Each structure stands twice: as C-alpha cells, then as structure tokens.
Amino acid sequence: MKNSKNDVVKGLFWTLSERFMSQIVSVFVTIVLTRLIAPSDYGVISIVTVIIAILNVFMTSGFSASLIQQDKIDEIDYSTVLYFSIAFGLFIYILVFIFSPLLAEFYQLPQLDLVLKILAVKIPLSALNSVQQAYVSRNMLFQKFFVSTVSATLVSGVIGVTLAYSNFGVWSLVAQDLSNVITITLVLWFSVGWRPTLQFSFLRLKKLYGFGIKIFFQTLFNTIYVNIRSLLIGGFYSATDLAYYTKGNQYPNLIVTNIDTAVSKTMFPVMSREQDNFDRVKSLTRRIAQTSSYIMSPILVGFFVCAETIVSIVMTDKWLPSVPYIRIICICLLIRASQTAILQAIKSIGRSDIVLKMDIPVRVFALLLLLFTIRLGVIYIAISEIVVETLALLIYSYYSSKLISYNYFEVFSDFIKNVFMATIMGLVVYFAGACISITPFINLVFQIILGVVVYISLSIISKNESWIYIMNGLIKRGDSL
C-alpha cells in the first residue's frame, strides 16, 4: 500500500512538472511564432491540425486505453496492438494522401495539399507513440513523459523559431509540429527500453477491442465536436478568418484550463472520499465554484479590457482582428468555473450516466446553432458560444439541484458576486488606462498593478469568502513550513 501511494505521489509530481514546463516553453514559442508568421499561414495549419486530430483518435484511443485498463497484459498484447495500429495508421495515411488534393480544392488552399501529406506522417508515428505511452502509464514511469515532452517542446520550438526567422512561413509550423512527434517517439524508444516481439494474436486483439471500441467512439465524438467549428469556418470563410478565431480562443482558454485543472485536482479527491455525504459534497462543490471563479474572473475581465494592448504588444498589430474573439471567449469562460465544479461533483458521487444526459442536449443545441450562424459570419459563431455556455450551466444546475441540492440561485450567486467585483475592477482599469498617455507597455503594466490593487481592496471591503479562504490557507501553509 505504501509503495502504491508513493507511485501515485511520484506520478502526480512528474505529470504536473511535465505540464508546467512544457506549457511555459510552448507559450514562449507560440508568441515568437505568432509575431513572425502571417495569420493566413496559421489558418492553413489550423485546418490541417483539426483533420489530423480527428484521424489521430483512431491511433491514440481505444486499444491503448485497453492496454492500460486490463488486469493482465503481456508482450503479446503490446506487440499485437502495435502491429495492428501501425498497419491501420499506414492505411489512413494512404487515404489522406489520396484525398488531400480534394480537401485543398474544397478549402481553396492549394498549399494545404502538400502540408497535409507531410503532417499526416504523424498518424502512423502516433501508432508507435500510443503503445509506448500505454506502457509508460501502466508501469507508472511518468518521469519518461516529463523527459520526452519537455525535450520535444524544446527541440521543436528551436526548429520552428529558427525556420520562422528564416522566412519559411507555414513550413516553420509544419517542421515544429512534426519534429515534436518525432522527438517524443525517439526519446521514449530509447529511454523506456520496451521493444516489440515478433508475435501477433487475433484473439488478444478481439479481447482488447471490447473495451477499446467504447473509448474510441466517445473520444471520436468529443474530438469532432470540439473541432467542427474550425472545420466549418475554414470551409465557409478564409484561412485568415480561421486564424483570428483560433487565436482569439487560444489564450483565454489556456489561462482558464490551467486554473480550472489546478483547483479541480486539489478538490476532486476530497469530494470522492465524501461521496456518501451529499451535504459535504455540496459544500465542497460550492467551494470549488467560488474559488475558481474568484481567481478567474479578474483575469478574464482584465484580459477583456486590455485585449487590444496585449495583442499589439505580444502578437503585433497584424493580429488585432482577433481581439473581438478574445473578448467574446472571455465572457463565455466567466461561468466555466461553476460548470466544472458541478461536473466534478456529479462524477464524484458515481453518476457518470448523468454526465452524458447533460452533455447530449448541449451538444445537439450547439450544432444546430452553429448551422444557423455559419452563414451570418464568424463573429456570430463566436457569440453563439455564449448562448451555448449559458444553456450548459442551466442544465448542469438543474441536475445539481436534483442530486446534491445545489440550486440555481446558489449556483449563480457563487460566481455573480466575483464577476461583479471583477467588472468594477475592469471599469477602473479601463478609464485609468484611457486617461494616461504613456507607452503601451508601461500603460499595460500600470493597468495590471492597478487591477490587482482594486480587486484585492474590493475583496477586503466586501469580506469575500474566497479571499478569506485563500488567505487562511496561505497563513496555515506558512505556519507549517
């Protein structure tokens, strides 16, 4: 039991370290590439990335999940999945090679043909990758993930930035993406030490198929849903429009995802231990919603207010058309904290069936709304996401009131008060920035400092529960050191 606990702690340490280090490098590289590469080039890569992400589900989901989930696995199972996946990956690559000219013609982007053919090499590589990663996960060798991911991020970043400075345009992004996968594969190949044997079993494949096919379809459905907006925007509008939309979504989502994940990972295990005590689960759910919203709201509102200055400084003026999309997604994400908290609560009490019931109507409505807004313009597609997020929160709140008595009023009050404080902060920051005529960078620094001071002051004056909770936690942490 002790060894098992140590494995979990070590695994969590390496997983979080991998995420932290790789994202720091990725954000830096992305900023540099964004400044050097034209939006139209990013649009081409966005379309290709979506297509490959969907096709990669065939390689990275299903069988690899089965290898991790099964009680007993041996070399025959690993080798069988590897050979089948590589063969299937090569088959998919041949299909991509055949149909890529048609996709290039559909999107009216001749360059897309060759870019897709080259980047699709990732598909058979992912077959080898998925088995390697299943082996690493099953044997709790998470430090291998850290080494491979960080190494790949650094290598691909250097290659991408070097080519971008040499004016290779879209090929800088192609080289960065492909070198990332190749580096991960090579590092895992030499560091893990696992090698396939010359064995293959249809019976083993059939056994693994039973569990894997369910995971595959679930992942495929989710991947298509997440990426369908980009596919349709790329088809109905230009690659440049798609690039502005994609970049507008990228940075606010990056902020929220990291904060959301950190809070959820801290609280979810506690909720699971209290799953039979619904009052306690409700209390913890509200704590997650309040704390996440308290941290996210000022960041999102601040990003909304300063979006134009941030884009101009960080990404250069050529990306200013992405500002409206940044502001819209910031509004969407203001209610994400409550959705995540409710989702964690429902999962913690073992009602995964409800998750599907909540998910399906939201996604069906989102797809119908997308089909309606696609002809109106990209900005209307972005605005429709606010409607979808609001509907999702209403449905989530309905089930939370039924299951843990966390009703609509409580759900909305737990984030509205934080949004209200953040809005006051945003107004102060906006008017202060408008009244001061200094360089954009100094102005941005001044606005950030002012925003922090105003938000903390409002928290103290209003005796905000989340502020008190966070400060008490920091004081206790300091006393224990």
Side-chain angles (χ1 to χ4, degrees):
M1 186 71 179
K2 185 177 179 181
N3 290 337
S4 176
K5 182 178 180 180
N6 288 338
D7 286 341
V8 172
V9 173
K10 285 170 61 179
L12 183 59
F13 169 78
W14 285 112
T15 302
L16 292 176
S17 298
E18 171 207 347
R19 182 183 180 89
F20 178 74
M21 288 296 295
S22 62
Q23 287 201 350
I24 286 179
V25 178
S26 293
V27 168
F28 173 76
V29 171
T30 299
I31 289 173
V32 173
L33 291 175
T34 302
R35 295 176 64 88
L36 295 172
I37 296 174
S40 58
D41 289 334
Y42 261 103
V44 174
I45 287 294
S46 297
I47 296 170
V48 172
T49 301
V50 168
I51 294 170
I52 292 177
I54 294 171
L55 295 176
N56 255 344
V57 174
F58 291 88
M59 299 296 101
T60 58
S61 301
F63 285 118
S64 59
S66 294
L67 289 174
I68 299 171
Q69 187 270 341
Q70 295 294 316
D71 290 334
K72 295 181 179 180
I73 291 292
D74 59 24
E75 292 300 321
I76 299 176
D77 295 294
Y78 283 115
S79 299
T80 296
V81 171
L82 177 65
Y83 295 137
F84 174 81
S85 298
I86 289 177
F88 193 53
L90 290 172
F91 171 73
I92 293 176
Y93 180 79
I94 291 170
L95 292 179
V96 171
F97 199 90
I98 294 171
F99 289 102
S100 61
L102 296 177
L103 288 169
E105 184 178 346
F106 172 77
Y107 284 106
Q108 297 182 348
L109 294 169
Q111 199 175 25
L112 187 144
D113 179 19
L114 185 57
V115 170
L116 181 55
K117 284 176 179 175
I118 293 175
L119 271 183
V121 173
K122 291 170 57 179
I123 296 172
L125 280 175
S126 295
L128 175 57
N129 232 327
S130 64
V131 177
Q132 289 175 324
Q133 296 192 23
Y135 183 89
V136 169
S137 296
R138 187 175 179 86
N139 292 281
M140 304 288 285
L141 304 172
F142 293 106
Q143 68 270 28
K144 306 295 184 183
F145 280 148
F146 175 84
V147 175
S148 62
T149 303
V150 174
S151 299
T153 305
L154 288 170
V155 170
S156 62
V158 170
I159 291 173
V161 170
T162 301
L163 292 178
Y165 268 112
S166 301
N167 297 317
F168 277 86
V170 70
W171 298 108
S172 308
L173 300 171
V174 172
Q176 182 205 12
D177 201 1
L178 192 56
S179 62
N180 185 281
V181 178
I182 293 172
T183 304
I184 289 176
T185 304
L186 289 175
V187 172
L188 287 177
W189 179 262
F190 289 107
S191 65
V192 173
W194 173 80
R195 299 292 182 271
T197 60
L198 296 176
Q199 294 173 292
F200 185 91
S201 171
F202 283 105
L203 289 176
R204 300 289 183 93
L205 192 67
K206 184 179 179 181
K207 178 184 175 183
L208 294 168
Y209 173 87
F211 174 82
I213 194 65
K214 299 171 187 175
I215 301 296
F216 162 73
F217 278 116
Q218 180 188 29
T219 308
L220 181 64
F221 181 76
N222 289 341
T223 305
I224 292 173
Y225 172 78
V226 168
N227 291 291
I228 194 168
R229 282 190 178 88
S230 295
L231 286 176
L232 291 177
I233 291 172
F236 280 84
Y237 300 94
S238 69
T240 303
D241 290 324
L242 175 58
Y244 292 142
Y245 173 83
T246 302
K247 283 296 175 186
N249 276 266
Q250 182 179 9
Y251 291 106
N253 265 304
L254 182 64
I255 295 168
V256 168
T257 299
N258 281 301
I259 295 172
D260 227 8
T261 302
V263 175
S264 296
K265 280 187 174 180
T266 304
M267 300 296 289
F268 180 65
V270 182
M271 293 173 67
S272 297
R273 288 196 294 269
E274 302 284 350
Q275 60 181 282
D276 295 326
N277 184 346
F278 282 14
D279 289 337
R280 181 60 176 157
V281 170
K282 175 185 175 180
S283 175
L284 291 169
T285 303
R286 296 195 70 178
R287 176 62 62 203
I288 292 175
Q290 291 169 354
T291 306
S292 298
S293 174
Y294 178 80
I295 297 170
M296 281 192 247
S297 295
I299 297 174
L300 291 170
V301 171
F303 206 163
F304 179 98
V305 171
C306 302
E308 190 170 339
T309 305
I310 293 172
V311 169
S312 181
I313 293 173
V314 176
M315 301 164 63
T316 72
D317 289 350
K318 67 186 177 186
W319 288 97
L320 286 175
S322 67
V323 169
Y325 304 116
I326 289 175
R327 287 175 170 160
I328 290 169
I329 198 64
C330 283
I331 295 173
C332 284
L333 295 175
L334 284 170
I335 60 177
R336 180 65 60 81
S338 296
Q339 290 181 29
T340 302
I342 293 171
L343 182 62
Q344 298 295 333
I346 292 173
K347 287 166 62 179
S348 73
I349 62 174
R351 294 304 304 271
S352 57
D353 58 311
I354 298 296
V355 175
L356 197 58
K357 290 182 180 179
M358 295 190 304
D359 222 23
I360 289 176
V362 173
R363 294 188 177 184
V364 169
F365 176 77
L367 291 174
L368 292 174
L369 192 58
L370 176 60
L371 294 175
F372 174 75
T373 56
I374 192 68
R375 297 276 184 181
L376 301 178
V378 181
I379 194 69
Y380 291 98
I381 296 172
I383 292 172
S384 72
E385 294 181 49
I386 300 176
V387 180
V388 173
E389 290 289 332
T390 304
L391 175 65
L393 183 60
L394 290 172
I395 293 176
Y396 280 33
S397 301
Y398 169 79
Y399 282 104
S400 70
S401 65
K402 295 290 184 183
L403 295 173
I404 59 172
S405 301
Y406 186 25
N407 60 48
Y408 291 100
F409 176 78
E410 292 170 323
V411 170
F412 280 84
S413 67
D414 283 343
F415 75 86
I416 284 294
K417 54 190 175 185
N418 295 322
V419 172
F420 180 70
M421 275 201 318
T423 302
I424 295 175
M425 176 211 74
L427 290 171
V428 173
V429 167
Y430 172 78
F431 285 113
C435 294
I436 298 175
S437 180
I438 48 181
T439 64
F441 179 76
I442 299 298
N443 195 37
L444 179 61
V445 172
F446 168 74
Q447 287 179 300
I448 292 172
I449 294 172
L450 178 62
V452 171
V453 171
V454 170
Y455 194 69
I456 291 177
S457 299
L458 291 172
S459 301
I460 295 172
I461 293 170
S462 64
K463 297 180 180 179
N464 185 278
E465 291 179 30
S466 297
W467 163 256
I468 295 171
Y469 174 76
I470 292 171
M471 292 308 298
N472 287 339
L474 291 174
I475 292 171
K476 289 179 181 177
R477 179 67 175 170
D479 292 339
S480 66
L481 292 177

